[in-house]
Amino acid sequence: MLKNYKMVVFDDDPTGIQTVHGCLLVTEWTEENLHTAFHDKQPFFYILTNSRAMTAQEARNTLKSAVEAVVKVNESYGFQLICISRSDSCLRGHFPLETDVMREVLESHGIAVWYQTPFVPAFIESGRVTIDGVHYMKDHDRLIPVSETEFARDNVFGYKNSNLREYIKEKGGDPEKYIIVNAQEYNELYAFRNHFFSQIAEWKGAVVIRSSSSLPRAFSGIKEKGLLSRDDLGIKGKGAGCFIVGSHVKKTTMQLNELLSAEGVKGIELSIEEILNTPEKLTENTLSEALKYAERGLTPVIYTARKEVRIDDAEKRQHLGQTVSDFLVNIVRHLPFHPQYLVAKGGITSHDILTHGLEVKVARVMGQAINSVPCIMASRDSRPLPYIIFPGNVGNEQSLKEIYEKLS
């Protein structure tokens, strides 16, 4: 990292820590929590805004609040700020709203902001690469333009262009105000980092960046760390873990089916209709089943029915998603046993369990359980609980099963 710089990564969902380790994750940006993060020996930290799950106005208000809080606390430290808007490698998210908000807040405090915004959606670990200004998803030896994937048909953040200049224009931005960074491997990100750092070495203001998950790792200067083991997470002996699966993307459903085929797991399917109409009864039945399996040393996999409910009205769609998420949070709060580990699959699911189910305010990022799947150390009933945040769009068909077999 540059001298006297602090890198603050404003993450629009809880999966962005999937390439880093050792830093702090802040979910409530109180003065006390931010002083803890600024004082930390690591030159960077993450703030989880979860703005991808919000409406545009909610995202604007939330991010503005977070950046304002950072600027205020930084008055005590005097760091130059590298502010990263970390979002989805498949180009879903509030763009260019979030980088615009960062600039507005910084400039409103008299802080000059570097004139261009690097735009770096590459996520090397999961095969999201940018070549000649076009963003792709790797599928073995194939390169699929992201506009041809299911993620481009997202009913909130859909888009038509894989060419990033055209994508920026499609979203209402000016391509001339961005630096599009090509990257297929980390060496390209390191080369960009070195070049960019040399450019801003004498800069007295802040920098705003839009990226996915690989750039923060490249900029942070952290060393590579192996995947986490049972010993790393303090898991001893045999016992039940717990999986909560809320994501509905095709990849998650394939992974769920493989997990349910593993010996030692038991699936508990949640009907969306029952969540909406008879939540108390469904909660009672789900907790009873989970306890029954855990007492036999079996790992319960609690998952929402795979049939996606599509609603055209954005407000109603958001309300349904929040209702389902609140139900899953309530399940975690009232789990009648202490799992050896907890895995949550999907961005909204994992966020709400993190902040409301486990009530994490500040936590240390442990590293990755498997490639691109981060783990923090939470606690439950004053006992440590490894909490694994599994993004909806990450991994192959075996990845959920791989987590189970590794930790059980």
Side-chain angles (χ1 to χ4, degrees), residues 295-364:
E295 287 178 338
R296 292 162 51 194
L298 303 173
T299 291
V301 178
I302 301 169
Y303 64 97
T304 52
R306 296 292 88 195
K307 184 179 179 181
E308 185 177 5
V309 179
R310 292 190 70 86
I311 300 173
D312 291 333
D313 185 275
E315 192 171 318
K316 291 181 180 178
R317 184 170 58 243
Q318 185 182 17
H319 177 72
L320 172 63
Q322 194 58 57
T323 300
V324 172
S325 182
D326 289 346
F327 183 88
L328 295 174
V329 164
N330 194 50
I331 292 295
V332 170
R333 279 181 178 161
H334 295 96
L335 269 182
F337 68 100
H338 185 86
Q340 290 206 317
Y341 58 89
L342 177 65
V343 180
K345 176 73 175 180
I348 295 174
T349 303
S350 58
H351 169 267
D352 288 357
I353 289 173
L354 174 74
T355 57
H356 302 305
L358 300 174
E359 298 183 328
V360 171
K361 312 300 182 190
V362 180
R364 186 75 62 182

Side-chain angles (χ1 to χ4, degrees), residues 87-228:
S87 191
D88 181 39
S89 63
C90 297
L91 304 183
R92 298 168 300 172
H94 292 288
F95 175 84
L97 182 149
E98 294 190 312
T99 48
D100 289 347
V101 168
M102 288 181 173
R103 283 182 172 272
E104 290 167 11
V105 173
L106 291 164
E107 290 172 351
S108 73
H109 287 271
I111 301 170
V113 181
W114 188 255
Y115 68 103
Q116 283 185 303
T117 299
F119 185 34
V120 199
F123 180 17
I124 308 300
E125 289 83 348
S126 285
R128 320 291 202 256
V129 299
T130 307
I131 304 169
D132 296 329
V134 178
H135 199 52
Y136 297 93
M137 174 186 292
K138 280 186 178 180
D139 182 11
H140 302 291
D141 294 331
R142 295 173 60 214
L143 283 174
I144 305 170
V146 289
S147 61
E148 298 176 14
T149 68
E150 64 175 312
F151 305 106
R153 297 187 293 276
D154 186 277
N155 55 6
V156 178
F157 299 113
Y159 55 92
K160 297 178 180 178
N161 290 286
S162 300
N163 179 290
L164 294 181
R165 285 185 62 87
E166 295 304 314
Y167 170 85
I168 291 169
K169 286 194 283 187
E170 179 184 350
K171 294 297 181 179
D174 178 358
E176 299 305 319
K177 295 182 178 180
Y178 294 85
I179 304 168
I180 293 171
V181 180
N182 295 309
Q184 299 183 65
E185 55 187 32
Y186 265 98
N187 283 342
E188 291 171 278
L189 292 179
Y190 295 143
F192 170 70
R193 175 197 65 191
N194 295 340
H195 172 71
F196 190 65
F197 281 7
S198 70
Q199 284 188 302
I200 65 172
E202 303 302 321
W203 179 245
K204 300 302 182 184
V207 172
V208 168
I209 297 172
R210 178 71 165 187
S211 85
S212 183
S213 298
S214 291
L215 185 84
R217 173 184 156 185
F219 270 33
S220 70
I222 58 173
K223 295 180 180 178
E224 288 192 30
K225 179 179 180 178
L227 297 176
L228 297 167

Side-chain angles (χ1 to χ4, degrees), residues 6 11 15 24 29 39 59 110 141 148 159 175 185 187-188 197 233 270 277 298 300 311 332 344 348 393-394 404 408:
K6 185 73 98 170
D11 205 341
T15 64
L24 292 179
W29 38 93
H39 191 69
D141 294 331
E148 298 176 14
Y159 55 92
E185 55 187 32
N187 283 342
E188 291 171 278
F197 281 7
L233 300 179
L270 305 176
N277 299 320
L298 303 173
I311 300 173
V332 170
I348 295 174
N393 62 356
V394 161
Y404 166 70
S408 296

Side-chain angles (χ1 to χ4, degrees), residues 7-8 14 20 67 153 182 245 250 337 379 396:
M7 185 170 78
V8 185
V20 298
V67 180
R153 297 187 293 276
N182 295 309
V245 181
K250 182 179 178 182
F337 68 100
S379 65
N396 58 39

